[in-house]
Amino acid sequence: MVANLNVLDATACPRLIVKIGSSLLVDDAGALRSGWLATLAADLAARVRSGQRVAVVSSGAIALGARRLGLTKGGRATLEDAQAAAATGQIALAHGWASALAAQGLMAAQILLTLDDLEDRRRYLNASATLARLLALGVVPIINENDSVATEEIRFGDNDRLAARVAQAAGAQAVVLLSDVDGLYDRQPTDPAAKLIARVDAITPAIAGLAGGSGSGMGTGGMAAKVAAARIATAAGITLAIASGRCDHPLARLAQGGPATIFTADAAPRARKAWIGGGLTARGEVRIDAGAATALASGKSLLPAGAKAVSGTFSRGDLIVIIGPDGRPLARGLSEYDAADAARITGRRSDEVAAILGHTPRACLVHRNHMALL
């Protein structure tokens, strides 16, 4: 499969992100699958020798910590259990990765992130700089969500979307999500008639509808999360592959044309627009009419006259979602107004706005330079 080879080709893809799920790294008893990890480390070393720079987004800390602490439900019975398990298991996870990579002559580094680290522009750029330096030095960063401090309000919820956002920060050209299935199927994989979808050029509602939930019960992701990650990645110009990690040497299998689903990348946007488009924590919404939707599609800014309703609590510069007349998200952008002023000028012509606000207004609600179409 040519697309697979491109993902694992150093010329087409100088920087690669590989995501590993909990069910691949940790067995049912809560122990690290060291033998399997050794084969993956050998695959990563082969990637590095080929000229690729590789970073890994690794799950497994909560599952490993739960075993050591004797916690029920895999350490996920309560938020406090998950945080305690993560704090304990992260040490074991980092040690396992460092040992496996050292056996291949590679050095590991650990980076723990929360959602806020990649949603705040300044912290995003700091993370990007750290990743760039580590990759330039030939180090393999091992990245995980900082579950010991993350709460429901400030977490990704799954490492699939974290991997897509890390790929943006790292300037990667591709992401490989190693899963417990070969990729996205046209129906449940357990159905004998199920067929693997080898290539997805557009994530349509029909494609999104094929995704199910988490299969292992150990992690928080599932095919729905992987398709959501593919949406983030491809919109930022990054190819994403879903492939099975159930075998030894899963990357070698993929490089040899093994089965996978490849989500092809859109034309790469500018870095700032990629960051905006991949944002997960919008502060509010603006609903627009059909005329404004047409204007946005042609590359224009969102004017107050095209807005129909404003919801949420946001300030100038916050990320908001622009909702089309059919109720579907059309774009994400940085608001030029706080929520109260945006609501006051909704539906008004530009020449009316100054009198309403009592000061010289900004020209638009969301400027095209600070907007990413979805």
Side-chain angles (χ1 to χ4, degrees):
M1 188 178 295
V2 175
N4 294 10
L5 296 176
N6 288 340
V7 169
L8 298 178
D9 178 77
T11 301
C13 177
R15 292 185 180 182
L16 174 71
I17 307 299
V18 180
K19 182 264 177 178
I20 319 297
S22 295
S23 63
L24 299 178
L25 268 175
V26 183
D27 64 23
D28 292 338
L32 188 70
R33 298 180 63 221
S34 300
W36 177 85
L37 181 56
T39 73
L40 177 61
D43 285 355
L44 294 172
R47 297 291 93 230
V48 173
R49 287 193 299 271
S50 76
Q52 276 188 314
R53 294 290 180 257
V54 183
V56 175
V57 173
S58 175
S59 304
I62 293 177
L64 290 171
R67 179 199 186 206
R68 285 157 175 75
L69 295 175
L71 298 174
T72 60
K73 297 184 179 179
R76 299 182 184 274
T78 66
L79 175 61
E80 291 78 9
D81 278 0
Q83 290 173 326
T88 305
Q90 195 62 51
I91 295 175
L93 182 64
H95 176 74
W97 274 109
S99 298
L101 291 172
Q104 298 293 330
L106 296 174
M107 182 180 296
Q110 182 185 58
I111 299 179
L112 298 179
L113 297 170
T114 64
L115 178 62
D116 281 354
D117 292 324
L118 296 182
E119 298 289 276
D120 178 90
R121 182 64 174 169
R122 180 178 298 177
R123 286 151 70 181
Y124 172 90
L125 293 174
N126 288 338
S128 180
T130 300
L131 284 165
R133 185 58 179 149
L134 288 170
L135 292 172
L137 292 170
V139 176
V140 179
I142 307 299
I143 303 150
N144 196 4
E145 184 161 14
N146 194 355
D147 289 306
S148 61
V149 299
T151 64
E152 291 303 321
E153 292 77 20
I154 59 167
R155 63 179 294 120
F156 285 90
D158 61 79
N159 274 352
D160 298 308
R161 287 180 291 182
L162 173 59
R165 289 293 266 164
V166 165
Q168 289 177 286
Q173 292 75 37
V175 178
V176 174
L177 303 179
L178 291 179
S179 179
D180 51 7
V181 294
D182 286 330
L184 179 66
Y185 285 81
D186 62 356
R187 64 197 72 190
Q188 285 294 326
T190 53
D191 188 327
K195 294 182 179 180
L196 181 70
I197 300 173
R199 178 180 175 130
V200 176
D201 293 320
I203 303 175
T204 62
I207 289 292
L210 295 174
S214 177
S216 69
M218 186 177 296
T220 55
M223 194 55 67
K226 290 171 176 56
V227 171
R231 194 186 300 275
I232 294 169
T234 55
I238 300 166
T239 299
L240 184 139
I242 303 171
S244 176
R246 284 297 181 188
C247 60
D248 288 346
H249 297 286
L251 294 181
R253 178 187 186 228
L254 184 62
Q256 293 163 6
T261 297
I262 305 293
F263 292 81
T264 59
D266 296 340
R270 290 183 299 172
R272 180 174 174 80
K273 288 202 173 187
W275 173 76
I276 291 170
L280 300 174
T281 53
R283 301 292 184 184
E285 294 182 352
V286 175
R287 293 185 175 270
I288 64 173
D289 60 27
T294 300
L296 262 59
S298 65
K300 295 182 179 179
S301 300
L302 174 61
L303 301 178
K308 297 177 64 177
V310 172
S311 60
T313 302
F314 54 89
S315 301
R316 180 174 182 256
D318 282 346
L319 181 68
I320 60 174
V321 180
I322 300 171
I323 306 295
D326 62 354
R328 295 173 59 187
L330 286 181
R332 289 173 177 265
L334 305 183
S335 177
E336 294 288 342
Y337 289 90
D338 62 28
D341 282 348
R344 292 173 66 192
I345 62 176
T346 291
R348 299 302 188 109
R349 299 192 313 271
S350 297
D351 59 4
E352 298 178 292
V353 173
I356 294 170
L357 297 181
H359 59 79
T360 303
R362 298 176 185 89
C364 53
L365 281 177
V366 181
H367 194 279
R368 63 183 182 182
N369 289 347
H370 301 150
M371 183 193 307
L373 299 179
L374 302 177

